Amino acid sequence: MTILTFTLILLLGAYLAGLAGSLTGLGGGVVIIPLLTLFFHVDIRYAIGAALVASIATSSGSASAYVKEGITNIRLGMFLEIATTAGAVIGAILAIYTPVNIVAILFGVTLIFSAAMTLRKKHEGALTEGSRLSYLLKLNSSYPSKEGVIDYKLKNIGGGFSIMTLAGMLSGLLGIGSGALKVLAMDSAMRVPFRVSTTTSNFMVGVTAAASAVVYLQRGYIDPGIAFPVIIGVLAGAFTGSKLLMRIDVKWLKIIFSFAITAIALNMIYNGFNHKF
Amino acid sequence: MNTNKETKRVTDYDMQQLIGQVLRYGVLISGLIAIIGGIWYLFQQGSGIPEYGVFHGEGEGYTSLTGIIKGLSNGSATEIIQLGVVILIATPIIRIVFSLVAFGLERDKLYVLITLIVLSIILFSMFGGLSI
């Protein structure tokens, strides 16, 4: 295989990753890492570098639209970014001491968890009473919907903050956006309405990934020959996805994609235990 | 009180539009640079064999800003791509700087502080000697 064929296949894979990511909410890294390691047999460290680049591209690309619509809670995002960036830096340091097969196994487990999270029923209702901390930190807000502006209040800020630290660590260690964990922290712990938690999670992924990407870039994980088809493919895919999202029902797509992800994850865990990385 | 609240809303709205623009342009510029560098790279090395099975880490030219700038002046295709990568990574960080300014204009001291904490964590990972 020449570099040209490698690039073209990777470009197509990254396009599909961006497309699937923007339609199902699972970030680009979820597809990029298995594609590079299982299909191309690329070292998992190069794959992590590529996945971080993919995460930032997807996040910034789609967040630019959501932020303008006023759904994203910028204050909540900024406050929780303290937890995710600190976690990401710790995760990137831990990555030096973690054997690659352990990284692969952890990645597989996170994938299965993310797939399950995608299929879970989400909270839609908005709380009318928030906790004391939610007022102190000015985290309560409102968002536009078809039925008009909906006000919401938040609770359990501490719980959400702790889960976010864990999400940041995984993100730094594995090179993924860990959007599923971020949504769990906001949706289940803090009771942020579904639309707000998904868009705010997306908004935060870019900053979390950038915090660890800086470390990975300096460590030589980001290879230009892998990075450029990933950036272009993911951006084009995410753009197509955001256009399609208005017109198609993604329910079945989410179910099929979740099963595919689970199969890939089991493969990675199996290879991890057999030291095939 | 009411008018005060109104002016604040306008500022929050402005911040959203501004942040949206920063993210959009950052992504567009980095994508364009990656395309230019990528086409050139394929033109030069497209018939070679990719070797990513063993990790050896990228050289100085790709991992530090001074290295990338030096490579750019030599017209190296791979370093044009790395410039695109650096701009992509910088986009969310620049977004934080813009938020900091916006919270400052809103006189929201609490969020100026929170934003400063996030920014210092990222700066720490950039310059904190983590590039082992």
Side-chain angles (χ1 to χ4, degrees), chain A residues 12-39:
Chain A
L12 181 70
Y15 179 78
L16 294 176
L19 187 66
S22 67
L23 289 176
T24 62
L26 288 159
V30 163
V31 178
I32 295 290
I33 293 187
L35 175 73
L36 285 173
T37 54
L38 298 178
F39 184 72

PDB file of all heavy atoms in Angstrom, chain A residues 12-39:
ATOM      1  N   LEU A  12     -11.619   8.787   3.592  1.00  0.00           N
ATOM      2  CA  LEU A  12     -12.987   8.257   3.550  1.00  0.00           C
ATOM      3  C   LEU A  12     -13.444   7.845   4.960  1.00  0.00           C
ATOM      4  O   LEU A  12     -14.555   8.167   5.391  1.00  0.00           O
ATOM      5  CB  LEU A  12     -13.043   7.052   2.599  1.00  0.00           C
ATOM      6  CG  LEU A  12     -14.420   6.414   2.435  1.00  0.00           C
ATOM      7  CD1 LEU A  12     -15.346   7.344   1.658  1.00  0.00           C
ATOM      8  CD2 LEU A  12     -14.306   5.072   1.718  1.00  0.00           C
ATOM      9  N   GLY A  13     -12.560   7.144   5.684  1.00  0.00           N
ATOM     10  CA  GLY A  13     -12.880   6.724   7.057  1.00  0.00           C
ATOM     11  C   GLY A  13     -13.159   7.904   7.949  1.00  0.00           C
ATOM     12  O   GLY A  13     -14.113   7.905   8.740  1.00  0.00           O
ATOM     13  N   ALA A  14     -12.334   8.952   7.839  1.00  0.00           N
ATOM     14  CA  ALA A  14     -12.514  10.147   8.666  1.00  0.00           C
ATOM     15  C   ALA A  14     -13.817  10.854   8.305  1.00  0.00           C
ATOM     16  O   ALA A  14     -14.520  11.382   9.178  1.00  0.00           O
ATOM     17  CB  ALA A  14     -11.331  11.096   8.489  1.00  0.00           C
ATOM     18  N   TYR A  15     -14.156  10.841   7.015  1.00  0.00           N
ATOM     19  CA  TYR A  15     -15.413  11.448   6.579  1.00  0.00           C
ATOM     20  C   TYR A  15     -16.588  10.724   7.244  1.00  0.00           C
ATOM     21  O   TYR A  15     -17.479  11.347   7.817  1.00  0.00           O
ATOM     22  CB  TYR A  15     -15.547  11.375   5.053  1.00  0.00           C
ATOM     23  CG  TYR A  15     -16.830  11.959   4.535  1.00  0.00           C
ATOM     24  CD1 TYR A  15     -16.985  13.339   4.423  1.00  0.00           C
ATOM     25  CD2 TYR A  15     -17.897  11.136   4.191  1.00  0.00           C
ATOM     26  CE1 TYR A  15     -18.179  13.875   3.975  1.00  0.00           C
ATOM     27  CE2 TYR A  15     -19.096  11.665   3.731  1.00  0.00           C
ATOM     28  CZ  TYR A  15     -19.227  13.045   3.628  1.00  0.00           C
ATOM     29  OH  TYR A  15     -20.413  13.581   3.186  1.00  0.00           O
ATOM     30  N   LEU A  16     -16.569   9.379   7.193  1.00  0.00           N
ATOM     31  CA  LEU A  16     -17.631   8.593   7.813  1.00  0.00           C
ATOM     32  C   LEU A  16     -17.653   8.806   9.330  1.00  0.00           C
ATOM     33  O   LEU A  16     -18.722   8.871   9.944  1.00  0.00           O
ATOM     34  CB  LEU A  16     -17.458   7.106   7.486  1.00  0.00           C
ATOM     35  CG  LEU A  16     -17.634   6.750   6.007  1.00  0.00           C
ATOM     36  CD1 LEU A  16     -17.353   5.282   5.766  1.00  0.00           C
ATOM     37  CD2 LEU A  16     -19.048   7.105   5.539  1.00  0.00           C
ATOM     38  N   ALA A  17     -16.453   8.944   9.926  1.00  0.00           N
ATOM     39  CA  ALA A  17     -16.381   9.183  11.371  1.00  0.00           C
ATOM     40  C   ALA A  17     -17.036  10.507  11.740  1.00  0.00           C
ATOM     41  O   ALA A  17     -17.799  10.594  12.701  1.00  0.00           O
ATOM     42  CB  ALA A  17     -14.926   9.176  11.833  1.00  0.00           C
ATOM     43  N   GLY A  18     -16.746  11.546  10.953  1.00  0.00           N
ATOM     44  CA  GLY A  18     -17.338  12.854  11.207  1.00  0.00           C
ATOM     45  C   GLY A  18     -18.845  12.827  11.006  1.00  0.00           C
ATOM     46  O   GLY A  18     -19.606  13.398  11.790  1.00  0.00           O
ATOM     47  N   LEU A  19     -19.262  12.115   9.968  1.00  0.00           N
ATOM     48  CA  LEU A  19     -20.693  11.997   9.652  1.00  0.00           C
ATOM     49  C   LEU A  19     -21.429  11.271  10.779  1.00  0.00           C
ATOM     50  O   LEU A  19     -22.399  11.777  11.348  1.00  0.00           O
ATOM     51  CB  LEU A  19     -20.847  11.224   8.340  1.00  0.00           C
ATOM     52  CG  LEU A  19     -22.237  11.125   7.727  1.00  0.00           C
ATOM     53  CD1 LEU A  19     -22.709  12.496   7.278  1.00  0.00           C
ATOM     54  CD2 LEU A  19     -22.221  10.173   6.537  1.00  0.00           C
ATOM     55  N   ALA A  20     -20.921  10.083  11.140  1.00  0.00           N
ATOM     56  CA  ALA A  20     -21.552   9.295  12.205  1.00  0.00           C
ATOM     57  C   ALA A  20     -21.504  10.061  13.522  1.00  0.00           C
ATOM     58  O   ALA A  20     -22.469  10.055  14.290  1.00  0.00           O
ATOM     59  CB  ALA A  20     -20.843   7.955  12.345  1.00  0.00           C
ATOM     60  N   GLY A  21     -20.376  10.720  13.771  1.00  0.00           N
ATOM     61  CA  GLY A  21     -20.222  11.469  15.018  1.00  0.00           C
ATOM     62  C   GLY A  21     -21.252  12.560  15.167  1.00  0.00           C
ATOM     63  O   GLY A  21     -21.871  12.699  16.221  1.00  0.00           O
ATOM     64  N   SER A  22     -21.475  13.328  14.112  1.00  0.00           N
ATOM     65  CA  SER A  22     -22.405  14.441  14.244  1.00  0.00           C
ATOM     66  C   SER A  22     -23.859  13.957  14.263  1.00  0.00           C
ATOM     67  O   SER A  22     -24.729  14.606  14.807  1.00  0.00           O
ATOM     68  CB  SER A  22     -22.190  15.477  13.143  1.00  0.00           C
ATOM     69  OG  SER A  22     -22.543  14.945  11.906  1.00  0.00           O
ATOM     70  N   LEU A  23     -24.121  12.771  13.691  1.00  0.00           N
ATOM     71  CA  LEU A  23     -25.497  12.247  13.691  1.00  0.00           C
ATOM     72  C   LEU A  23     -25.854  11.532  14.994  1.00  0.00           C
ATOM     73  O   LEU A  23     -26.987  11.550  15.429  1.00  0.00           O
ATOM     74  CB  LEU A  23     -25.712  11.291  12.511  1.00  0.00           C
ATOM     75  CG  LEU A  23     -25.758  11.923  11.121  1.00  0.00           C
ATOM     76  CD1 LEU A  23     -25.873  10.860  10.064  1.00  0.00           C
ATOM     77  CD2 LEU A  23     -26.923  12.896  11.012  1.00  0.00           C
ATOM     78  N   THR A  24     -24.871  10.863  15.616  1.00  0.00           N
ATOM     79  CA  THR A  24     -25.191  10.065  16.796  1.00  0.00           C
ATOM     80  C   THR A  24     -24.688  10.683  18.097  1.00  0.00           C
ATOM     81  O   THR A  24     -25.073  10.258  19.168  1.00  0.00           O
ATOM     82  CB  THR A  24     -24.566   8.661  16.689  1.00  0.00           C
ATOM     83  OG1 THR A  24     -23.155   8.818  16.623  1.00  0.00           O
ATOM     84  CG2 THR A  24     -25.050   7.928  15.459  1.00  0.00           C
ATOM     85  N   GLY A  25     -23.810  11.668  18.010  1.00  0.00           N
ATOM     86  CA  GLY A  25     -23.284  12.288  19.211  1.00  0.00           C
ATOM     87  C   GLY A  25     -22.029  11.619  19.735  1.00  0.00           C
ATOM     88  O   GLY A  25     -21.423  12.082  20.686  1.00  0.00           O
ATOM     89  N   LEU A  26     -21.621  10.506  19.099  1.00  0.00           N
ATOM     90  CA  LEU A  26     -20.361   9.883  19.488  1.00  0.00           C
ATOM     91  C   LEU A  26     -19.238  10.581  18.715  1.00  0.00           C
ATOM     92  O   LEU A  26     -19.312  10.688  17.494  1.00  0.00           O
ATOM     93  CB  LEU A  26     -20.374   8.388  19.158  1.00  0.00           C
ATOM     94  CG  LEU A  26     -21.274   7.523  20.049  1.00  0.00           C
ATOM     95  CD1 LEU A  26     -21.616   6.221  19.357  1.00  0.00           C
ATOM     96  CD2 LEU A  26     -20.602   7.238  21.374  1.00  0.00           C
ATOM     97  N   GLY A  27     -18.216  11.033  19.418  1.00  0.00           N
ATOM     98  CA  GLY A  27     -17.182  11.853  18.780  1.00  0.00           C
ATOM     99  C   GLY A  27     -16.376  11.122  17.721  1.00  0.00           C
ATOM    100  O   GLY A  27     -16.455   9.899  17.593  1.00  0.00           O
ATOM    101  N   GLY A  28     -15.599  11.868  16.946  1.00  0.00           N
ATOM    102  CA  GLY A  28     -14.839  11.302  15.843  1.00  0.00           C
ATOM    103  C   GLY A  28     -13.820  10.251  16.254  1.00  0.00           C
ATOM    104  O   GLY A  28     -13.580   9.295  15.535  1.00  0.00           O
ATOM    105  N   GLY A  29     -13.227  10.408  17.455  1.00  0.00           N
ATOM    106  CA  GLY A  29     -12.170   9.511  17.910  1.00  0.00           C
ATOM    107  C   GLY A  29     -12.617   8.072  18.046  1.00  0.00           C
ATOM    108  O   GLY A  29     -11.837   7.129  17.879  1.00  0.00           O
ATOM    109  N   VAL A  30     -13.912   7.899  18.345  1.00  0.00           N
ATOM    110  CA  VAL A  30     -14.487   6.572  18.524  1.00  0.00           C
ATOM    111  C   VAL A  30     -14.293   5.706  17.282  1.00  0.00           C
ATOM    112  O   VAL A  30     -14.078   4.503  17.370  1.00  0.00           O
ATOM    113  CB  VAL A  30     -15.991   6.744  18.875  1.00  0.00           C
ATOM    114  CG1 VAL A  30     -16.760   5.475  18.675  1.00  0.00           C
ATOM    115  CG2 VAL A  30     -16.136   7.263  20.287  1.00  0.00           C
ATOM    116  N   VAL A  31     -14.339   6.303  16.104  1.00  0.00           N
ATOM    117  CA  VAL A  31     -14.147   5.548  14.867  1.00  0.00           C
ATOM    118  C   VAL A  31     -12.678   5.574  14.428  1.00  0.00           C
ATOM    119  O   VAL A  31     -12.147   4.575  13.948  1.00  0.00           O
ATOM    120  CB  VAL A  31     -15.042   6.119  13.739  1.00  0.00           C
ATOM    121  CG1 VAL A  31     -14.818   5.365  12.439  1.00  0.00           C
ATOM    122  CG2 VAL A  31     -16.506   6.051  14.143  1.00  0.00           C
ATOM    123  N   ILE A  32     -12.015   6.728  14.614  1.00  0.00           N
ATOM    124  CA  ILE A  32     -10.640   6.907  14.132  1.00  0.00           C
ATOM    125  C   ILE A  32      -9.656   5.926  14.775  1.00  0.00           C
ATOM    126  O   ILE A  32      -8.843   5.312  14.078  1.00  0.00           O
ATOM    127  CB  ILE A  32     -10.172   8.368  14.401  1.00  0.00           C
ATOM    128  CG1 ILE A  32     -10.992   9.365  13.591  1.00  0.00           C
ATOM    129  CG2 ILE A  32      -8.696   8.536  14.117  1.00  0.00           C
ATOM    130  CD1 ILE A  32     -10.733   9.343  12.111  1.00  0.00           C
ATOM    131  N   ILE A  33      -9.734   5.755  16.095  1.00  0.00           N
ATOM    132  CA  ILE A  33      -8.764   4.876  16.777  1.00  0.00           C
ATOM    133  C   ILE A  33      -8.878   3.422  16.312  1.00  0.00           C
ATOM    134  O   ILE A  33      -7.870   2.833  15.907  1.00  0.00           O
ATOM    135  CB  ILE A  33      -8.863   5.002  18.320  1.00  0.00           C
ATOM    136  CG1 ILE A  33      -8.400   6.399  18.741  1.00  0.00           C
ATOM    137  CG2 ILE A  33      -8.006   3.937  19.019  1.00  0.00           C
ATOM    138  CD1 ILE A  33      -8.272   6.618  20.225  1.00  0.00           C
ATOM    139  N   PRO A  34     -10.094   2.812  16.306  1.00  0.00           N
ATOM    140  CA  PRO A  34     -10.176   1.432  15.794  1.00  0.00           C
ATOM    141  C   PRO A  34      -9.769   1.321  14.323  1.00  0.00           C
ATOM    142  O   PRO A  34      -9.093   0.367  13.939  1.00  0.00           O
ATOM    143  CB  PRO A  34     -11.650   1.060  15.963  1.00  0.00           C
ATOM    144  CG  PRO A  34     -12.187   2.006  16.959  1.00  0.00           C
ATOM    145  CD  PRO A  34     -11.390   3.256  16.838  1.00  0.00           C
ATOM    146  N   LEU A  35     -10.151   2.299  13.489  1.00  0.00           N
ATOM    147  CA  LEU A  35      -9.796   2.251  12.075  1.00  0.00           C
ATOM    148  C   LEU A  35      -8.279   2.195  11.904  1.00  0.00           C
ATOM    149  O   LEU A  35      -7.745   1.369  11.159  1.00  0.00           O
ATOM    150  CB  LEU A  35     -10.370   3.479  11.337  1.00  0.00           C
ATOM    151  CG  LEU A  35      -9.980   3.625   9.868  1.00  0.00           C
ATOM    152  CD1 LEU A  35     -10.699   2.599   9.006  1.00  0.00           C
ATOM    153  CD2 LEU A  35     -10.278   5.026   9.346  1.00  0.00           C
ATOM    154  N   LEU A  36      -7.572   3.066  12.628  1.00  0.00           N
ATOM    155  CA  LEU A  36      -6.119   3.127  12.485  1.00  0.00           C
ATOM    156  C   LEU A  36      -5.426   1.908  13.086  1.00  0.00           C
ATOM    157  O   LEU A  36      -4.497   1.367  12.492  1.00  0.00           O
ATOM    158  CB  LEU A  36      -5.575   4.413  13.133  1.00  0.00           C
ATOM    159  CG  LEU A  36      -5.804   5.710  12.348  1.00  0.00           C
ATOM    160  CD1 LEU A  36      -5.385   6.912  13.177  1.00  0.00           C
ATOM    161  CD2 LEU A  36      -5.030   5.687  11.037  1.00  0.00           C
ATOM    162  N   THR A  37      -5.886   1.471  14.268  1.00  0.00           N
ATOM    163  CA  THR A  37      -5.164   0.380  14.933  1.00  0.00           C
ATOM    164  C   THR A  37      -5.562  -0.987  14.383  1.00  0.00           C
ATOM    165  O   THR A  37      -4.699  -1.802  14.059  1.00  0.00           O
ATOM    166  CB  THR A  37      -5.413   0.387  16.453  1.00  0.00           C
ATOM    167  OG1 THR A  37      -6.821   0.355  16.697  1.00  0.00           O
ATOM    168  CG2 THR A  37      -4.821   1.605  17.104  1.00  0.00           C
ATOM    169  N   LEU A  38      -6.868  -1.264  14.271  1.00  0.00           N
ATOM    170  CA  LEU A  38      -7.306  -2.600  13.861  1.00  0.00           C
ATOM    171  C   LEU A  38      -7.158  -2.814  12.364  1.00  0.00           C
ATOM    172  O   LEU A  38      -6.805  -3.892  11.914  1.00  0.00           O
ATOM    173  CB  LEU A  38      -8.762  -2.848  14.280  1.00  0.00           C
ATOM    174  CG  LEU A  38      -9.056  -2.817  15.779  1.00  0.00           C
ATOM    175  CD1 LEU A  38     -10.537  -3.021  16.033  1.00  0.00           C
ATOM    176  CD2 LEU A  38      -8.250  -3.877  16.523  1.00  0.00           C
ATOM    177  N   PHE A  39      -7.438  -1.781  11.570  1.00  0.00           N
ATOM    178  CA  PHE A  39      -7.410  -1.943  10.110  1.00  0.00           C
ATOM    179  C   PHE A  39      -6.021  -1.672   9.533  1.00  0.00           C
ATOM    180  O   PHE A  39      -5.489  -2.459   8.765  1.00  0.00           O
ATOM    181  CB  PHE A  39      -8.474  -1.043   9.482  1.00  0.00           C
ATOM    182  CG  PHE A  39      -8.602  -1.207   7.993  1.00  0.00           C
ATOM    183  CD1 PHE A  39      -9.176  -2.363   7.453  1.00  0.00           C
ATOM    184  CD2 PHE A  39      -8.151  -0.226   7.132  1.00  0.00           C
ATOM    185  CE1 PHE A  39      -9.283  -2.527   6.082  1.00  0.00           C
ATOM    186  CE2 PHE A  39      -8.262  -0.376   5.762  1.00  0.00           C
ATOM    187  CZ  PHE A  39      -8.829  -1.526   5.240  1.00  0.00           C
TER     188      PHE A  39
END
